[in-house]
Amino acid sequence: MPTYAYYYYTMLNNFSQVKKRADKKSLTSNTNLIIFAFCTIFYVRIICTLTPLPSILNHAHLIIIPCVFVVVLSTSRSRNIEQNKLVSSLIKGLYVLLIAVFLSAFWNKAGLVNALFSFILLGEPIIFLAAFVCIPMTVKSFTRLKKWFVWSVAINFILAAIQKPLIDARLLYAEGFNGTDGCGGVFFVSGAGNYVSASVTVAFVLYLLFNYKNCPLWIRVASMTGTIWQILFSDSKQLVLAYAIAWILLIFLNTTKDLIKSIKLLFGMMVVGIAFYWCFQNVEAFSAFGSWARPELYQRDGEAWYAKFYSVRIILSEFSSPLNWLFGLGPGHTVSRLGAWFLKDYSDILTPLGATTNYIGSDAREFVKGFWLTLGSSLFSPIFGWAGIWGDLGLLGLGCYLYMARIVWTNFYLDDSLKITLLSIFVMGFIFTQLEEPGYMASIAMLIGISWQERRLKWIKMRT
């Protein structure tokens, strides 16, 4: 009997060792998959620009990210109830969005291709985030992934800083863009690459300043100085406006919960505001911010409102039923990224697959090219995220998208820096199509995932 017991014990022990090695191998593979998935979004633009690779590869992530999500979800074996519950909440949000997209497509007779791409473009950051947080990372795998992200942000900044003088000196061709609009960092060359690149820098540095107060002073000062410099040389004025409004919104949101924190945020905003006003008055580099300070543009019948709501008026004119308020005009049929660019730029591939289009996106693009105010600043562009989601998917789709945002806001234990960044995305949704910029949204998802995984590891360490 003891012999059988010993044999049984040995078998179980060997099985346990094999399982541990398999789990470790699976964990390493899944971490590598997350890094690979991030790179297909973050680096592919500049790779396609500098090599003969076809531009369609810029959108390979639309297929890769869902595939990585399925693989990671099916192979990760987390025993943490909170972790599993969080992933389930994200999947539930994606499922609700999927239903809204297909209902809109069915009601408006949009193509299946439209519905699939609309869902992926809007849901991709959540898909990526769900894949990220479902992995029970070890300290070693987390540290490696975190270093990869930090270096990616640094590379993006360095490339943008190098591109600016090279383009201005005509030593680097940026497809007709000058040094200001062309300095897209890893997003070189794209129409909004300059401020997408700057947005990634701002989000990361803000997170660094809030969360790593033990970091050497010179690193924090250098990071903050470099961020301000990039905002200036890339002319990303929208970021200053978006983060200022986001800061104000956070103060109001905290007032009922934590008055002391609200006072600290208000004091911090006053200091930053005074410093910015001084720079605006005395430093030539900040003078460009005065382009918005023209009261006549914002009168009731001013050109700012005329330009900004141009696409909204067209969308409303196409409503033929009260149900259009609920379901919109169909995925890709208005001024979303899908409708304004994607379906038109790749019509030779997508039209044979059954993609359907509408004139609204093309009309809005032509208006942007021909109106003096929209040519000067994307602040006045009629093509912006919230208009695109509402126009394509109606109030139902808009509500489902906001529901996903609420899941992230309430379940990830966000610190103030990430809350401000998420609120700035909300504000940027009224300015341009930042909500559907894959590189930027994936970077924010990565930052949120890093914050959550770091908190999880600290919690595990405290328990042990």
Side-chain angles (χ1 to χ4, degrees), residues 123-149:
E124 186 178 59
I126 302 299
I127 296 173
F128 180 72
L129 182 58
F132 190 108
V133 300
C134 80
I135 302 174
M137 291 186 179
T138 62
V139 174
K140 183 178 179 180
S141 61
F142 170 75
T143 302
R144 184 167 67 90
L145 191 146
K146 183 179 175 181
K147 285 181 179 179
W148 186 278
F149 179 68

Side-chain angles (χ1 to χ4, degrees), residues 159-459:
L159 285 176
I162 293 173
Q163 288 160 3
K164 165 69 174 172
L166 289 179
I167 296 170
D168 285 338
R170 298 183 179 180
L171 298 175
L172 181 65
Y173 179 62
E175 298 181 6
F177 292 107
N178 60 25
T180 298
D181 293 331
C183 59
V186 295
F187 308 105
F188 176 87
V189 178
S190 58
N194 57 326
Y195 75 77
V196 174
S197 175
S199 297
V200 172
T201 302
V202 171
F204 173 76
V205 171
L206 190 65
Y207 180 76
L208 172 72
L209 294 175
F210 269 72
N211 291 276
Y212 296 94
K213 295 178 182 178
N214 293 328
C215 185
L217 180 62
W218 72 268
I219 292 180
R220 286 181 286 158
V221 172
S223 299
M224 187 166 56
T225 303
T227 300
I228 295 172
W229 181 44
Q230 185 173 6
I231 289 173
L232 292 175
F233 73 67
S234 64
D235 194 28
S236 301
K237 299 187 293 292
Q238 305 94 328
L239 282 178
V240 177
L241 176 64
Y243 271 90
I245 296 175
W247 202 313
I248 294 171
L249 290 173
L250 185 61
I251 291 172
F252 280 111
L253 289 173
N254 278 332
T255 300
T256 57
K257 298 178 180 179
D258 192 337
L259 184 59
I260 300 299
K261 182 179 286 188
S262 292
I263 293 173
K264 289 180 180 178
L265 288 170
L266 181 60
F267 178 75
M269 186 173 186
M270 289 174 61
V271 172
V272 173
I274 291 170
F276 177 80
Y277 181 76
W278 184 89
C279 291
F280 176 71
Q281 293 290 330
N282 298 278
V283 181
E284 178 64 25
F286 285 80
S287 60
F289 288 89
S291 62
W292 295 338
R294 287 176 283 179
E296 68 277 5
L297 294 176
Y298 308 100
Q299 295 176 1
R300 188 173 183 179
D301 57 346
E303 291 184 301
W305 305 116
Y306 169 75
K308 194 65 188 176
F309 293 102
Y310 177 83
S311 59
V312 174
R313 292 192 297 271
I314 299 178
I315 292 169
L316 288 173
S317 70
E318 290 294 310
F319 279 12
S320 58
S321 164
L323 287 177
N324 284 126
W325 283 97
L326 187 62
F327 299 125
L329 295 176
H333 286 181
T334 63
V335 291
S336 60
R337 185 182 183 88
L338 181 64
W341 286 281
F342 196 82
L343 290 175
K344 181 179 179 181
D345 294 346
Y346 299 100
S347 59
D348 54 336
I349 298 174
L350 299 177
T351 300
L353 298 176
T356 55
T357 58
N358 191 297
Y359 77 93
I360 296 176
S362 298
D363 191 282
R365 282 180 65 173
E366 292 302 315
F367 175 80
V368 170
K369 294 177 183 178
F371 194 66
W372 70 274
L373 199 55
T374 54
L375 284 173
S377 175
S378 59
L379 178 67
F380 307 105
S381 173
I383 303 174
F384 56 97
W386 297 122
I389 297 173
W390 164 72
D392 277 13
L393 308 178
L395 295 176
L396 178 63
L398 184 61
C400 292
Y401 187 84
L402 291 172
Y403 172 67
M404 290 197 308
R406 183 179 180 275
I407 291 173
V408 176
W409 182 273
T410 57
N411 291 280
F412 276 85
Y413 306 104
L414 305 175
D415 68 279
D416 285 338
S417 71
L418 291 176
K419 285 182 178 179
I420 291 173
T421 294
L422 283 187
L423 288 171
S424 75
I425 296 174
F426 172 80
V427 177
M428 289 297 291
F430 290 100
I431 298 176
F432 205 50
T433 55
Q434 197 90 333
L435 302 174
E436 297 169 283
E437 289 289 347
Y440 173 64
M441 295 299 285
S443 298
I444 301 304
M446 178 76 97
L447 202 54
I448 293 171
I450 286 173
S451 174
W452 188 87
Q453 288 280 11
E454 192 165 36
R455 180 184 290 272
R456 170 185 158 272
L457 289 170
K458 287 180 180 178
W459 182 75

Side-chain angles (χ1 to χ4, degrees), residues 16 34 61 96 119 151 354 377 417:
S16 177
I34 292 296
H61 60 85
V96 168
F119 169 71
W151 275 109
S377 175
S417 71

Side-chain angles (χ1 to χ4, degrees), residues 80-83 452-464:
N80 187 294
I81 296 175
E82 182 184 0
Q83 192 171 12
W452 188 87
Q453 288 280 11
E454 192 165 36
R455 180 184 290 272
R456 170 185 158 272
L457 289 170
K458 287 180 180 178
W459 182 75
I460 292 174
K461 185 178 180 181
M462 287 176 61
R463 288 190 64 186
T464 56

Side-chain angles (χ1 to χ4, degrees), residues 100-111 115 330-331:
V101 171
F102 273 85
L103 283 174
S104 174
F106 176 76
W107 172 257
N108 293 286
K109 296 181 175 60

